Amino acid sequence: MAINLANNNSLANITALPSSVSGGAMTLLATQTASGSATISFTSGIDDTYDSYVFKFINIHPATNNSSFQFQGSTNSGSSYGVTITSSFFQTYHAEDNSAAALAYNTSNDLAQSTSFQIIADTTGNGSDESASGYLHLFNPSSTTFVKHFISVDNHYYNGTYSINDFSAGYFNTTSAVDSIQFKFNSGNIDSGVIKLYGVS
Amino acid sequence: MALVKYNNNSISAVTATGLASGALTHIKTLTASSSGTLSFVHGSDGVVLDSTYPIYKFEFINIHPATANTIFQFQTSTNGGSSYGVTYTNTVFLAYHKENGSGSGLNYEAGRDQAQSTAFANLCAEVARSGEADQACSGFLELYNPSSTTFVKHCISRFIKDAATTDMFDQYQAGYMNTTTAINAVRFQMSSGNIDAGKIKLYGIKDS
């Protein structure tokens, strides 16, 4: 395969740059686009190549109104998702008409040694302009020494009236490597949206 | 120097391109091994901590203390690491939850903040409180415009620490180093004992 020098002096058909050229510390590993998807799973690329991994979810739109976007991990390449999680969850919200605003811990969305899915965006509306966006940061998922920490932040549009900012953090309470992550809503499909997986070097 | 193309279609003899390379640039990784402190000093051992980047981000991976139930903390220096003790005012709050579900909440932590203090600041409290081998903390700290000689220096952090029989924390901290002198070094330590294991990675975040 030849190197193609285009008129704009760009290069094509290059598969790798020398180590002396930095490609940036965040490497895009995978992108998945929802289209009436029951689940979106990342079953490859999560290993010891990077010390941490970041999922960015963009305009995740539920098919079912006021459903909660959530995730779980797998230690068996995605054969099952149900690693024990302990987590905390708090949120801020503000109504468009300024009638309500608060910061509060939400006991409905945390987990205590549970194998349930962890909510990262609760009560997301399915109006045509409603969705959830944010990130999930997973630290050292391949460790066989430590439990696996995660941190997430989301903002979503609820019921055509509220901006809600969710903060969850916790850990997969296992010393087995976590090698897959699955996302879904607690009810109905992921109508649309994009989830990107990055490795942080 | 000629461009060299390998059979696998990689290329060498290129030291720079005009291509965008991503806004997050890795600068330095320090790995703890029973370390009393871990310090990032501008100009030392490949560390850049000056006006090259407007924002610097430290990422912490599985910081494990040698001593149970200690605080992971930081301070900064304006003299290349000769001393660490810049006046700092900050706020601290955290969400907590127990593995047995018996308690949870969101609180301002008046006992963990500081006001015009030169002490090391609390990034994550009660790390490995019950001393298990699988306990640690992870998170990040962002330092804004440390080289400014006009403004104070803002710092924002968030940490997660696990706990077996006590509370897990999702701890936030934000404040400012109250100086208009450039900050050129940052030090991390436990409040007692060594950092047994863990990684600290320094990144620069480009603004263009």
Side-chain angles (χ1 to χ4, degrees):
Chain A
M1 186 179 289
I3 294 177
N4 298 327
L5 182 63
N7 289 336
N8 64 358
N9 287 327
S10 64
L11 291 171
N13 294 337
I14 301 298
T15 58
L17 290 172
S19 58
S20 58
V21 178
S22 170
M26 285 188 73
T27 301
L28 178 63
L29 301 176
T31 297
Q32 296 200 51
T33 302
S35 178
S37 309
T39 62
I40 288 184
S41 303
F42 291 83
T43 58
S44 63
I46 303 172
D47 52 27
D48 62 356
T49 304
Y50 299 94
D51 289 322
S52 67
Y53 292 82
V54 175
F55 296 91
K56 297 202 174 189
F57 47 98
I58 302 155
N59 295 138
I60 303 298
H61 181 77
T64 303
N65 194 34
N66 294 341
S67 51
S68 296
F69 190 55
Q70 52 192 4
F71 78 100
Q72 246 292 2
S74 170
T75 59
N76 53 19
S77 302
S79 294
S80 62
Y81 291 89
V83 183
T84 301
I85 292 176
T86 294
S87 65
S88 60
F89 190 101
F90 68 95
Q91 61 191 170
T92 63
Y93 61 86
H94 193 197
E96 289 182 355
D97 64 2
N98 207 28
S99 62
L103 163 66
Y105 192 91
N106 187 327
T107 57
S108 298
N109 294 338
D110 65 9
L111 298 175
Q113 295 295 91
S114 170
T115 56
S116 298
F117 276 64
Q118 172 65 49
I119 291 173
I120 49 178
D122 75 342
T123 60
T124 305
N126 75 340
S128 60
D129 62 349
E130 295 179 330
S131 68
S133 298
Y135 70 83
L136 167 66
H137 198 141
L138 178 62
F139 296 90
N140 201 11
S142 68
S143 172
T144 54
T145 302
F146 297 109
V147 303
K148 316 304 181 299
H149 299 131
F150 62 82
I151 288 172
S152 75
V153 176
D154 135 271
N155 200 82
H156 62 273
Y157 194 13
Y158 164 65
N159 205 27
T161 53
Y162 281 84
S163 174
I164 300 180
N165 186 192
D166 290 336
F167 301 82
S168 70
Y171 51 99
F172 293 110
N173 197 355
T174 179
T175 52
S176 298
V178 171
D179 55 18
S180 304
I181 297 290
Q182 183 175 84
F183 297 89
K184 66 178 183 180
F185 277 103
N186 66 332
S187 177
N189 289 340
I190 308 171
D191 180 57
S192 63
V194 174
I195 304 177
K196 291 176 174 283
L197 170 60
Y198 298 87
V200 184
S201 59
Chain B
M1 186 176 289
L3 183 71
V4 178
K5 170 183 165 296
Y6 296 122
N7 290 334
N8 65 359
N9 284 328
S10 67
I11 55 176
S12 68
V14 176
T15 57
T17 75
L19 302 174
S21 58
L24 187 69
T25 301
H26 176 254
I27 297 171
K28 183 72 179 179
T29 296
L30 296 179
T31 301
S33 179
S34 298
S35 307
T37 61
L38 291 176
S39 303
F40 294 82
V41 179
H42 174 68
S44 173
D45 201 20
V47 171
V48 175
L49 194 64
D50 60 4
S51 62
T52 302
Y53 300 96
I55 305 170
Y56 289 84
K57 181 175 183 176
F58 296 91
E59 186 166 306
F60 308 88
I61 298 151
N62 296 141
I63 302 298
H64 180 74
T67 304
N69 194 16
T70 52
I71 302 164
F72 186 57
Q73 51 190 195
F74 85 109
Q75 247 293 357
T76 62
S77 170
T78 59
N79 54 19
S82 295
S83 62
Y84 291 87
V86 179
T87 301
Y88 194 52
T89 296
N90 72 345
T91 60
V92 179
F93 70 96
L94 61 83
Y96 66 93
H97 195 202
K98 293 180 186 294
E99 284 189 358
N100 65 9
S102 65
S104 61
L106 176 65
N107 292 330
Y108 188 86
E109 296 291 319
R112 307 186 200 276
D113 64 7
Q114 57 195 66
Q116 294 295 90
S117 170
T118 58
F120 274 66
N122 187 323
L123 289 169
C124 193
E126 300 181 7
V127 183
R129 181 169 170 178
S130 48
E132 278 87 350
D134 64 351
Q135 293 184 323
C137 66
S138 301
F140 68 83
L141 165 68
E142 290 183 339
L143 174 60
Y144 293 83
N145 203 11
S147 67
S148 173
T149 54
T150 303
F151 298 107
V152 301
K153 317 303 184 297
H154 298 287
C155 307
I156 299 174
S157 68
R158 184 182 181 187
F159 274 76
I160 163 71
K161 72 109 183 175
D162 54 279
T165 57
T166 57
D167 303 317
M168 60 139 289
F169 286 170
D170 180 5
Q171 179 172 334
Y172 293 72
Q173 175 278 146
Y176 54 90
M177 297 290 171
N178 198 354
T179 179
T180 53
T181 303
I183 285 173
N184 52 19
V186 180
R187 170 168 285 181
F188 301 94
Q189 64 182 31
M190 308 306 303
S191 58
S192 175
N194 289 339
I195 307 172
D196 181 58
K199 285 184 182 178
I200 306 178
K201 309 182 86 164
L202 172 60
Y203 302 90
I205 300 179
K206 299 175 184 175
D207 60 349
S208 62

CSV table of all heavy atoms in Angstrom, one decimal, chain B residues 14-42:
chain,number,residue,atom,x,y,z
B,14,VAL,N,9.6,11.3,11.8
B,14,VAL,CA,8.7,12.5,11.9
B,14,VAL,C,8.7,12.9,13.4
B,14,VAL,O,8.4,12.0,14.2
B,14,VAL,CB,7.3,12.1,11.4
B,14,VAL,CG1,6.3,13.3,11.6
B,14,VAL,CG2,7.3,11.7,10.0
B,15,THR,N,9.0,14.1,13.7
B,15,THR,CA,9.0,14.5,15.1
B,15,THR,C,7.9,15.4,15.4
B,15,THR,O,7.6,15.7,16.5
B,15,THR,CB,10.3,15.2,15.4
B,15,THR,OG1,10.5,16.3,14.5
B,15,THR,CG2,11.5,14.3,15.3
B,16,ALA,N,7.2,15.9,14.4
B,16,ALA,CA,6.0,16.8,14.6
B,16,ALA,C,5.2,16.8,13.4
B,16,ALA,O,5.6,16.6,12.3
B,16,ALA,CB,6.5,18.2,14.9
B,17,THR,N,3.9,17.0,13.6
B,17,THR,CA,3.0,17.2,12.4
B,17,THR,C,2.2,18.4,12.7
B,17,THR,O,2.1,18.9,13.8
B,17,THR,CB,2.0,16.0,12.3
B,17,THR,OG1,1.0,16.1,13.3
B,17,THR,CG2,2.8,14.7,12.4
B,18,GLY,N,1.5,18.9,11.6
B,18,GLY,CA,0.6,20.0,11.8
B,18,GLY,C,-0.8,19.5,12.1
B,18,GLY,O,-1.7,20.3,12.2
B,19,LEU,N,-0.9,18.2,12.4
B,19,LEU,CA,-2.2,17.7,12.7
B,19,LEU,C,-2.6,17.9,14.2
B,19,LEU,O,-1.7,18.0,15.1
B,19,LEU,CB,-2.2,16.2,12.5
B,19,LEU,CG,-1.8,15.7,11.1
B,19,LEU,CD1,-1.7,14.2,11.0
B,19,LEU,CD2,-2.8,16.2,10.1
B,20,ALA,N,-3.9,18.1,14.4
B,20,ALA,CA,-4.3,18.2,15.8
B,20,ALA,C,-4.0,16.8,16.5
B,20,ALA,O,-4.2,15.8,16.0
B,20,ALA,CB,-5.8,18.4,15.8
B,21,SER,N,-3.5,16.9,17.7
B,21,SER,CA,-3.1,15.7,18.5
B,21,SER,C,-3.9,15.5,19.7
B,21,SER,O,-3.5,14.8,20.6
B,21,SER,CB,-1.6,15.8,18.8
B,21,SER,OG,-1.3,16.9,19.6
B,22,GLY,N,-5.0,16.2,19.9
B,22,GLY,CA,-5.8,16.0,21.1
B,22,GLY,C,-5.4,17.0,22.1
B,22,GLY,O,-4.3,17.5,22.2
B,23,ALA,N,-6.4,17.4,22.9
B,23,ALA,CA,-6.2,18.5,23.8
B,23,ALA,C,-5.6,18.1,25.1
B,23,ALA,O,-5.0,18.9,25.8
B,23,ALA,CB,-7.6,19.2,24.1
B,24,LEU,N,-5.7,16.8,25.4
B,24,LEU,CA,-5.1,16.3,26.7
B,24,LEU,C,-3.8,15.7,26.4
B,24,LEU,O,-3.6,14.7,25.7
B,24,LEU,CB,-6.1,15.2,27.3
B,24,LEU,CG,-5.7,14.7,28.7
B,24,LEU,CD1,-5.9,15.8,29.7
B,24,LEU,CD2,-6.6,13.5,29.0
B,25,THR,N,-2.7,16.3,27.0
B,25,THR,CA,-1.3,15.8,26.7
B,25,THR,C,-0.7,15.3,27.9
B,25,THR,O,-0.6,16.0,29.0
B,25,THR,CB,-0.5,17.0,26.2
B,25,THR,OG1,-1.1,17.5,25.0
B,25,THR,CG2,0.9,16.5,25.9
B,26,HIS,N,-0.3,14.0,27.9
B,26,HIS,CA,0.4,13.4,29.0
B,26,HIS,C,1.7,14.0,29.2
B,26,HIS,O,2.5,14.1,28.3
B,26,HIS,CB,0.5,11.9,28.8
B,26,HIS,CG,1.2,11.2,29.9
B,26,HIS,ND1,2.5,10.7,29.8
B,26,HIS,CD2,0.9,10.9,31.2
B,26,HIS,CE1,2.9,10.2,30.9
B,26,HIS,NE2,1.9,10.3,31.8
B,27,ILE,N,2.0,14.4,30.4
B,27,ILE,CA,3.3,15.0,30.7
B,27,ILE,C,4.2,14.1,31.6
B,27,ILE,O,5.4,13.8,31.2
B,27,ILE,CB,3.2,16.3,31.5
B,27,ILE,CG1,2.4,17.4,30.6
B,27,ILE,CG2,4.5,16.9,32.0
B,27,ILE,CD1,2.0,18.6,31.4
B,28,LYS,N,3.7,13.5,32.6
B,28,LYS,CA,4.5,12.7,33.5
B,28,LYS,C,3.7,11.8,34.4
B,28,LYS,O,2.6,12.2,34.8
B,28,LYS,CB,5.3,13.7,34.5
B,28,LYS,CG,6.3,13.0,35.4
B,28,LYS,CD,7.5,12.5,34.7
B,28,LYS,CE,8.5,11.8,35.6
B,28,LYS,NZ,9.6,11.3,34.9
B,29,THR,N,4.1,10.6,34.6
B,29,THR,CA,3.5,9.6,35.5
B,29,THR,C,4.5,9.3,36.6
B,29,THR,O,5.6,9.0,36.3
B,29,THR,CB,3.1,8.3,34.8
B,29,THR,OG1,2.1,8.6,33.8
B,29,THR,CG2,2.5,7.3,35.8
B,30,LEU,N,4.0,9.4,37.9
B,30,LEU,CA,4.8,9.0,39.0
B,30,LEU,C,4.1,7.8,39.6
B,30,LEU,O,2.9,7.8,39.8
B,30,LEU,CB,5.0,10.1,40.0
B,30,LEU,CG,5.8,11.3,39.6
B,30,LEU,CD1,5.8,12.3,40.7
B,30,LEU,CD2,7.2,10.9,39.2
B,31,THR,N,4.8,6.7,39.9
B,31,THR,CA,4.3,5.5,40.5
B,31,THR,C,4.8,5.4,41.9
B,31,THR,O,6.0,5.4,42.2
B,31,THR,CB,4.6,4.3,39.7
B,31,THR,OG1,4.1,4.4,38.4
B,31,THR,CG2,4.0,3.0,40.3
B,32,ALA,N,3.9,5.3,42.9
B,32,ALA,CA,4.3,5.2,44.3
B,32,ALA,C,4.8,3.8,44.6
B,32,ALA,O,4.2,2.8,44.1
B,32,ALA,CB,3.1,5.5,45.2
B,33,SER,N,5.8,3.8,45.4
B,33,SER,CA,6.3,2.5,46.0
B,33,SER,C,6.8,2.8,47.4
B,33,SER,O,8.0,3.1,47.5
B,33,SER,CB,7.3,1.9,45.0
B,33,SER,OG,7.8,0.7,45.6
B,34,SER,N,5.9,2.7,48.3
B,34,SER,CA,6.3,3.1,49.7
B,34,SER,C,6.9,4.5,49.7
B,34,SER,O,8.0,4.7,50.3
B,34,SER,CB,7.2,2.1,50.3
B,34,SER,OG,6.6,0.9,50.4
B,35,SER,N,6.3,5.5,49.0
B,35,SER,CA,6.8,6.8,48.9
B,35,SER,C,6.3,7.7,49.9
B,35,SER,O,5.1,7.8,50.2
B,35,SER,CB,6.4,7.3,47.5
B,35,SER,OG,6.8,6.4,46.5
B,36,GLY,N,7.2,8.5,50.6
B,36,GLY,CA,6.8,9.5,51.5
B,36,GLY,C,6.0,10.6,50.9
B,36,GLY,O,5.0,11.1,51.4
B,37,THR,N,6.5,11.1,49.8
B,37,THR,CA,5.8,12.1,49.0
B,37,THR,C,6.0,11.8,47.5
B,37,THR,O,7.0,11.1,47.1
B,37,THR,CB,6.4,13.5,49.3
B,37,THR,OG1,7.8,13.5,48.9
B,37,THR,CG2,6.2,13.9,50.8
B,38,LEU,N,5.1,12.4,46.7
B,38,LEU,CA,5.3,12.4,45.3
B,38,LEU,C,5.2,13.8,44.8
B,38,LEU,O,4.1,14.5,45.1
B,38,LEU,CB,4.3,11.5,44.6
B,38,LEU,CG,4.4,10.0,44.8
B,38,LEU,CD1,3.3,9.2,44.1
B,38,LEU,CD2,5.8,9.5,44.2
B,39,SER,N,6.2,14.3,44.1
B,39,SER,CA,6.2,15.8,43.8
B,39,SER,C,6.4,15.9,42.3
B,39,SER,O,7.2,15.2,41.7
B,39,SER,CB,7.4,16.5,44.5
B,39,SER,OG,7.2,16.3,45.9
B,40,PHE,N,5.7,16.9,41.7
B,40,PHE,CA,5.9,17.3,40.3
B,40,PHE,C,6.5,18.7,40.3
B,40,PHE,O,5.8,19.7,40.8
B,40,PHE,CB,4.5,17.3,39.6
B,40,PHE,CG,3.9,15.9,39.5
B,40,PHE,CD1,3.2,15.4,40.5
B,40,PHE,CD2,4.1,15.2,38.3
B,40,PHE,CE1,2.7,14.1,40.4
B,40,PHE,CE2,3.5,14.0,38.1
B,40,PHE,CZ,2.8,13.4,39.2
B,41,VAL,N,7.7,18.8,39.9
B,41,VAL,CA,8.5,20.1,40.0
B,41,VAL,C,8.8,20.5,38.5
B,41,VAL,O,9.4,19.8,37.8
B,41,VAL,CB,9.8,19.9,40.8
B,41,VAL,CG1,10.5,21.3,40.8
B,41,VAL,CG2,9.4,19.5,42.2
B,42,HIS,N,8.4,21.7,38.2
B,42,HIS,CA,8.6,22.2,36.8
B,42,HIS,C,10.1,22.2,36.5
B,42,HIS,O,10.9,22.6,37.3
B,42,HIS,CB,8.1,23.6,36.6
B,42,HIS,CG,8.4,24.2,35.3
B,42,HIS,ND1,7.9,23.7,34.1
B,42,HIS,CD2,9.3,25.2,35.0
B,42,HIS,CE1,8.5,24.4,33.1
B,42,HIS,NE2,9.3,25.3,33.6
